[in-house]
Amino acid sequence: TQLLEQSPQFLSIQEGENLTVYCNSSSVFSSLQWYRQEPGEGPVLLVTVVTGGEVKKLKRLTFQFGDARKDSSLHITAAQPGDTGLYLCAGSPPGSNYKLTFGKGTLLTVNP
Amino acid sequence: NAGVMQNPRHLVRRRGQEARLRCSPMKGHSHVYWYRQLPEEGLKFMVYLQKENIIDESGMPKERFSAEFPKEGPSILRIQQVVRGDSAAYFCASSPQSSGWKDNQPQHFGDGTRLSIL
């Protein structure tokens, strides 16, 4: 069974600060996705990374896929209260691209 | 521009009753995936269906759980003789084709059904 460990589990910061959250595994994934989930709602896809070493930017969010395709990070610059939410990473194992394995998430709170 | 629609949003059942959860995929999507999110746990894959076919049900409990995606109508996740441990949020996702990343076919999630067993 492939597992994704996310850290930290909880993160509370002030508006304007920078932060990085991590998603690690001992297994290789063919791709990794980052989602954000609000209370009472479903996960919303932020980005997909496919190539080892790949870096993608989405406004103030920077996503990186590790060279060995076993880990990923999400960096947020100048966090805003609207960034508050549960950040989930999900990986697709080789050969079963549809079967997403999710981490438990990092719950981010950005205080004004 | 309707997304994935799940209903009901909240469902309360007593032990031993049946629970039926419905999922209408996004327009033009013919692939449906069900996930379960237990308290304090990440989302866990349950089953992958195409119209009238179960492709992979490796994440489904062997007993009491079944899923279908008929030619017409929504996908249904059915839980018979529910027990307290079935209490969870059940999420459905859909994609236009098989969710292969080379083809850039991400899964779009609904807002889930919160099932509570009394």
Side-chain angles (χ1 to χ4, degrees):
Chain A
T1 303
Q2 296 183 302
L3 296 175
L4 281 168
E5 300 287 339
Q6 290 192 244
S7 61
Q9 189 176 356
F10 301 97
L11 185 57
S12 181
I13 61 170
Q14 293 300 121
E15 182 176 2
E17 292 184 359
N18 301 332
L19 67 113
T20 302
V21 297
Y22 301 92
C23 175
N24 295 296
S25 176
S26 58
S27 303
V28 173
F29 290 93
S30 58
S31 66
L32 248 162
Q33 297 79 53
W34 283 91
Y35 291 81
R36 191 172 87 182
Q37 186 177 18
E38 305 280 352
E41 298 181 5
V44 175
L45 181 67
L46 298 174
V47 79
T48 300
V49 285
V50 178
T51 306
E54 182 176 4
V55 177
K56 281 193 174 179
K57 292 191 176 184
L58 187 67
K59 297 183 181 178
R60 294 177 293 102
L61 279 60
T62 301
F63 305 86
Q64 185 162 7
F65 200 12
D67 290 340
R69 292 187 289 135
K70 293 182 179 180
D71 54 84
S72 181
S73 64
L74 158 59
H75 182 80
I76 302 179
T77 303
Q80 300 175 0
D83 295 328
T84 294
L86 179 66
Y87 288 83
L88 299 166
C89 67
S92 298
S96 298
N97 283 347
Y98 54 83
K99 193 183 293 185
L100 294 180
T101 297
F102 279 84
K104 294 183 182 181
T106 292
L107 184 59
L108 172 66
T109 302
V110 182
N111 302 299
Chain B
N1 188 23
V4 177
M5 303 300 292
Q6 291 188 247
N7 67 82
R9 292 295 309 277
H10 300 274
L11 182 61
V12 180
R13 285 287 178 267
R14 296 188 180 279
R15 282 178 293 172
Q17 291 184 322
E18 178 180 285
R20 279 182 177 245
L21 287 62
R22 288 176 289 277
C23 169
S24 296
M26 286 181 70
K27 187 177 181 180
H29 288 194
S30 58
H31 297 245
V32 165
Y33 317 83
W34 285 92
Y35 292 81
R36 178 166 64 174
Q37 188 173 36
L38 292 165
E40 309 302 323
E41 297 287 329
L43 283 87
K44 298 278 195 280
F45 169 83
M46 297 181 75
V47 62
Y48 164 34
L49 309 105
Q50 296 176 24
K51 285 283 187 182
E52 300 184 281
N53 283 305
I54 297 174
I55 307 303
D56 183 345
E57 56 181 349
S58 59
M60 290 272 274
K62 293 289 186 285
E63 298 178 349
R64 303 187 297 108
F65 284 71
S66 61
E68 62 176 6
F69 189 17
K71 187 176 180 180
E72 301 290 337
S75 175
I76 306 287
L77 179 66
R78 182 183 177 204
I79 311 173
Q80 295 178 290
Q81 299 176 328
V82 295
V83 301
R84 288 252 172 89
D86 297 333
S87 295
Y90 292 83
F91 289 95
C92 168
S94 72
S95 64
Q97 299 174 31
S98 182
S99 193
W101 302 109
K102 288 186 179 178
D103 301 322
N104 195 26
Q105 301 288 345
Q107 297 180 20
H108 298 266
F109 282 80
D111 285 337
T113 293
R114 272 80 184 164
L115 176 64
S116 298
I117 309 301
L118 301 180

